[in-house]
């Protein structure tokens, strides 16, 4: 796992987080716009500029721990002209799926970097960039997996909510506070880091299997 408190890992972690967060949120905003909701675009969130998405506290948390977050993405389901429930599910699914695609891209780049740079695999430049790419893989993988969890206010809450009928959605909405408390507990206690430490090796095996196909 990441050495969260080591200053020597700070730049790679911030680099990876900014890429993961920016593309995650831009994917949300872009898909929402394509499906008819321009709320995020009008709020200047359909942008590849990290400053458009940064949350100060969320960024600070990256410095001290494995967790961080960006500003909440404004989405108005009433603006979707067709099948509001399905459209909302697709919008929230776009973020974590983008992160998982980035995992495959950065993993590929990690192995093919020497050929792209025309350098030996053991060269100092390659090794330095591989540190950044390794963190890009880890951070995108963690963000992608975490946001598939059915916990408020993560994307997974809205993704899985979309598979239920309207009456059950109302019941789910009443559980938001409980789900939020659970997320806070996972963030401020060792339980969350322990869970991530258990999930990560299995996720890596899945990626390696995909590369072997």
């Amino acid at each position: 796992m990441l050495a969260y408190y080591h200053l020597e890992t700070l730049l790679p972690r911030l680099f990876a987080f900014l890429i993961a967060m920016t593309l995650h949120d831009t994917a949300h905003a872009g898909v929402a716009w394509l499906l008819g909701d321009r709320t995020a675009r009008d709020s200047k969130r359909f942008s590849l500029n990290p400053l458009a998405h940064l949350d100060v506290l969320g960024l600070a948390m990256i410095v001290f721990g494995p967790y961080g977050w960006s500003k909440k993405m404004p989405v108005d389901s009433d603006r979707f002209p067709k099948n509001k429930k399905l459209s909302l599910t697709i919008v929230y699914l776009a973020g974590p799926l983008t992160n998982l695609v980035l995992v495959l891209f950065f993993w590929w780049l990690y192995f093919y970097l020497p050929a792209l740079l025309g350098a030996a695999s053991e060269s100092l430049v390659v090794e330095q960039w591989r540190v950044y790419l390794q963190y890009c893989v880890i951070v995108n993988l963690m963000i992608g997996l975490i946001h598939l969890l059915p916990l408020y206010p993560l994307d997974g809450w809205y993704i899985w909510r979309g598979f239920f009928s309207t009456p059950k959605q109302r019941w789910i909405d009443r559980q938001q506070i409980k789900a939020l408390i659970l997320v806070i507990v996972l963030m401020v206690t060792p339980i969350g880091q322990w869970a991530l430490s258990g999930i990560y090796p299995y996720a890596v095996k899945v990626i390696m299997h995909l590369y072997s196909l």
Side-chain angles (χ1 to χ4, degrees):
M1 284 298 290
L2 297 174
Y4 300 112
Y5 303 100
H6 294 177
L7 288 177
E8 61 266 25
T9 69
L10 179 58
L11 287 179
R13 281 188 284 121
L14 288 177
F15 177 80
F17 174 72
L18 290 176
I19 290 177
M21 170 205 68
T22 301
L23 294 180
H24 177 105
D25 284 356
T26 301
H28 281 317
V31 172
W33 175 56
L34 289 174
L35 293 176
D37 175 23
R38 299 186 177 184
T39 306
R41 195 199 69 168
D42 294 342
S43 302
K44 303 186 185 301
R45 296 295 302 279
F46 187 23
S47 171
L48 292 175
N49 181 357
L51 295 177
H53 309 287
L54 277 182
D55 177 89
V56 176
L57 180 58
L59 180 63
M61 288 297 293
I62 285 294
V63 176
F64 300 105
Y67 310 106
W69 56 84
S70 57
K71 295 177 184 176
K72 181 175 175 58
M73 180 60 60
V75 179
D76 186 354
S77 60
D78 290 333
R79 292 192 174 188
F80 295 126
K82 299 178 181 179
N83 203 329
K84 297 178 181 180
K85 186 164 68 173
L86 177 60
S87 296
L88 191 64
T89 301
I90 294 174
V91 167
Y92 280 101
L93 188 59
L97 284 184
T98 296
N99 291 120
L100 296 179
V101 170
L102 287 172
V103 170
L104 298 176
F105 170 73
F106 285 120
W107 198 296
W108 172 85
L109 196 57
Y110 179 90
F111 289 108
Y112 285 92
L113 188 62
L116 294 174
L117 294 179
S121 60
E122 65 274 9
S123 73
L124 181 60
V125 173
V126 170
E127 289 306 312
Q128 287 176 335
W129 273 108
R130 274 183 164 174
V131 172
Y132 282 80
L133 293 174
Q134 182 181 16
Y135 276 89
C136 284
V137 170
I138 295 172
V139 170
N140 275 285
L141 180 59
M142 290 295 97
I143 289 179
L145 293 178
I146 288 172
H147 274 282
L148 290 177
L149 296 176
L151 297 175
Y152 181 83
L154 303 177
D155 294 337
W157 177 267
Y158 300 97
I159 294 169
W160 296 106
R161 178 181 177 275
F163 291 103
F164 292 91
S165 62
T166 300
K168 288 188 176 180
Q169 284 186 351
R170 295 194 187 100
W171 178 86
I172 291 172
D173 291 341
R174 292 196 293 270
Q175 312 308 313
Q176 285 187 359
I177 297 300
K178 296 177 183 177
L180 179 60
I181 292 173
L182 179 56
V183 169
I184 294 173
V185 169
L186 292 174
M187 289 179 61
V188 301
T189 68
I191 298 175
Q193 188 169 340
W194 173 82
L196 290 179
S197 300
I199 294 172
Y200 178 72
Y202 293 101
V204 169
K205 288 181 180 179
V206 172
I207 295 174
M208 293 179 67
H209 178 68
L210 290 174
Y211 272 103
S212 66
L213 294 177

